Amino acid sequence: MDAAQVVDYGMLALIPPILAIGLAIWTKNIIVSLFISIIVSTTILNGWNPIVGFTSMIKDYMFVSLEDSMNTQALFMMVIIGGFVALLTQSGGAMAFTDMVTKKVNTRAKCEGGIWLGGLFVWFTDNGNSLIVGPIFEALAERLRVSREKFAYILDCTTSPICAMIPIIGWGVYAMSLIETELEVAGIHEVTSWDVFMQAVPLNFYAILTLLMAGIMAFTQWDYGPMLRAQNRAMKTGETLRAGGTPMRSETKKLELPKGVTPKIYTMIVPLVVLLVVMFSYLTAKGLWYTKVAGTDIRTAIASGFLCATLVLIAICVKEKIYDFNKCLSIITGGMSNMMFMCVVLVLAWSLSGVTKAIGTAAYLTEISQGLLNPALLPCIVFAIGAVMSLATGTSWGTMAILMPIALPMAITFGVSLPLISAAIISGSLYGDHCSPISDTTILASIGSACDHIDHFETQIPYATTVAVICLAMFLVAGWNPTPLMTLVAIIVLIAVIFTLHKIYVKKYGHEKDLVKA
């Protein structure tokens, strides 16, 4: 593995992402696609020896990805959440919540708007967001015929894009640490990494436009492209999941409570309150509101909250004679086992990330594009490079780690705005993290909505690319005149573009109107 890192593989460095994405689209099987991509790549890394490549895949990448404490914490967290979600669903609380909320949230647009607002509320985690918000709205979304594709899109939009603008959580801490390194190397002391990051927030066009677009698409139903077809299918036939589609987790079966048991909303509300109280109490003790909180502490808070909520939910189920203790444990372990598919996908995705680093995918993309860099064009080009790199590797943090040490020194040398360049790097990194089929947040959005993963990717990428194209234009203009007013211009352009695209595709596919449920 060490020898592989010093070899220049040239165009072969593009094989891992191209193979993974291409096979995912062709086979519509994410596990097979990731597995083949990894084993082909490790074979290349080991002198084209498939036997050594196979064992290297396991030893040097799969095992190594599980040795990473952040990854193991994430897997543990997902398993705990899976058990809680299963019992919460089977307790009848979600059913009671759906019955109550449907009296007010009685249209698909209102339901999608609720999912969006819920995602904005869970701003403190990109990995946990979809798994917290998704199950809460699952039954309601099914009843109001929200396609799984649209459900997954909204969940995905409220993960990394919002976290990328918060300085006191893992995203902000990581980005500022990269910025701080370059400021120290350049001997700049009059501004801090906090100053650069915070000034970059209003110029983070991709994050802002993605969050806004998700809300607009939810409340206005201005869908277009493959998403419009999916929404029409769900509204017309009631099939929220495409026929033949494979959801990323087991779908909730029709709930059958024990005879004489009536669903009560407090069986859902009380555990969720406990979840939030425990989570935010821990984070507050760690200084959430006035300092930077480590990613380990955030994951600890989430896991602690879900564990406590699960214990409270078990007590409620036993007290209300919904299930006895042993039945509760059976449901919880069943929910945990349903998360195994997701765990396998995440391990493969992490392994592929290691492979792309070893074979030099990001470095190669950077190398072939360096000749294009120009002071005025720097923000636009950096954004484009970051978008391609993050789409190919499925990692935003890895993309930032490569581009920050290259683009920030150039910006300092050429006198280009550091907040603008930082915003361009973060925005470009977000594009792939948001929509790449091998990105963990994209995978988790599919899990949270119980959507077919490739369906989520194919319907989301036109929306994400619409935002990316507008961002490209904005960074091009901002290279000459960087100002936060560009964000307002970008918003106006976005609204005009999606409205026009909606009208064009309605003529092509028609538009099934939202039905009001009594």
Side-chain angles (χ1 to χ4, degrees), residues 424-498:
I425 294 171
I426 295 172
S427 284
S429 301
L430 280 174
Y431 172 71
D433 183 74
H434 178 214
C435 63
S436 172
I438 57 177
S439 166
D440 53 358
T441 51
T442 308
I443 293 168
L444 291 169
S446 296
I447 295 168
S449 60
C451 181
D452 181 287
H453 186 54
I454 304 305
D455 288 347
H456 170 40
F457 166 67
E458 291 180 341
T459 52
Q460 173 166 269
I461 199 164
Y463 284 13
T465 303
T466 297
V467 173
V469 170
I470 294 173
C471 289
L472 192 68
M474 292 301 107
F475 281 117
L476 179 62
V477 175
W480 278 272
N481 183 29
T483 168
L485 289 177
M486 291 299 302
T487 304
L488 179 60
V489 174
I491 291 172
I492 295 172
V493 172
L494 174 68
I495 294 173
V497 168
I498 59 178

Side-chain angles (χ1 to χ4, degrees), residues 167-169 173 194 283-294:
I168 58 174
I169 61 176
V173 173
W194 177 279
L283 290 174
T284 298
K286 292 295 180 179
L288 172 66
W289 310 109
Y290 57 86
T291 189
K292 306 166 186 177
V293 178

Side-chain angles (χ1 to χ4, degrees), residues 87-287:
L87 186 58
L88 183 70
T89 302
Q90 294 299 312
S91 69
M95 178 189 294
F97 170 80
T98 300
D99 291 338
M100 182 195 74
V101 172
T102 303
K103 295 175 183 177
K104 296 292 184 181
V105 182
N106 57 354
T107 68
R108 184 167 67 177
K110 291 179 181 178
C111 179
E112 292 177 10
I115 297 169
W116 179 68
L117 292 172
L120 295 181
F121 178 75
V122 187
W123 50 266
F124 46 86
T125 170
D126 54 353
N127 283 336
N129 185 300
S130 296
L131 297 181
I132 294 172
V133 178
I136 293 175
F137 285 90
E138 181 178 359
L140 182 61
E142 190 72 16
R143 178 177 295 188
L144 295 175
R145 301 190 176 187
V146 177
S147 69
R148 302 286 177 84
E149 294 91 333
K150 186 69 174 293
F151 195 172
Y153 164 72
I154 298 172
L155 288 178
D156 212 343
C157 286
T158 52
T159 55
S160 297
I162 191 169
C163 291
M165 295 189 288
I166 307 295
I168 58 174
I169 61 176
W171 252 96
V173 173
Y174 179 75
M176 285 189 290
S177 67
L178 295 174
I179 295 170
E180 182 67 29
T181 298
E182 302 311 315
L183 292 178
E184 290 180 1
V185 170
I188 297 176
H189 304 292
E190 58 270 21
V191 295
T192 66
S193 58
W194 177 279
D195 298 328
V196 174
F197 181 85
M198 294 306 296
Q199 291 172 31
V201 169
L203 296 170
N204 192 342
F205 300 130
Y206 189 85
I208 294 171
L209 294 187
T210 295
L211 288 169
L212 182 64
M213 182 172 177
I216 292 173
M217 301 310 260
F219 288 110
T220 66
Q221 299 290 294
W222 287 351
D223 294 300
Y224 59 87
M227 190 72 79
L228 179 59
R229 290 204 308 267
Q231 288 283 81
N232 283 343
R233 178 203 70 227
M235 186 56 67
K236 186 175 182 179
T237 68
E239 296 179 354
T240 57
L241 181 70
R242 172 182 58 83
T246 304
M248 281 285 280
R249 63 177 167 85
S250 298
E251 299 178 80
T252 304
K253 298 179 180 179
K254 184 176 180 181
L255 180 62
E256 294 183 3
L257 292 172
K259 188 175 181 180
V261 175
T262 302
K264 296 180 180 178
I265 194 170
Y266 97 94
T267 62
M268 177 179 178
I269 299 299
V270 172
L272 289 178
V273 169
V274 171
L275 164 65
L276 294 175
V277 168
V278 171
M279 188 183 303
F280 279 104
S281 295
Y282 183 88
L283 290 174
T284 298
K286 292 295 180 179

Side-chain angles (χ1 to χ4, degrees), residues 330-371:
S330 176
I331 293 171
I332 290 170
T333 54
M336 290 177 172
S337 67
N338 288 338
M339 303 301 283
M340 287 304 104
F341 176 80
M342 176 272 291
C343 291
V344 171
V345 172
L346 283 178
V347 170
L348 288 173
W350 292 329
S351 300
L352 181 61
S353 176
V355 168
T356 58
K357 181 179 180 181
I359 205 169
T361 301
Y364 177 73
L365 288 171
T366 302
E367 179 185 344
I368 63 176
S369 59
Q370 278 184 332

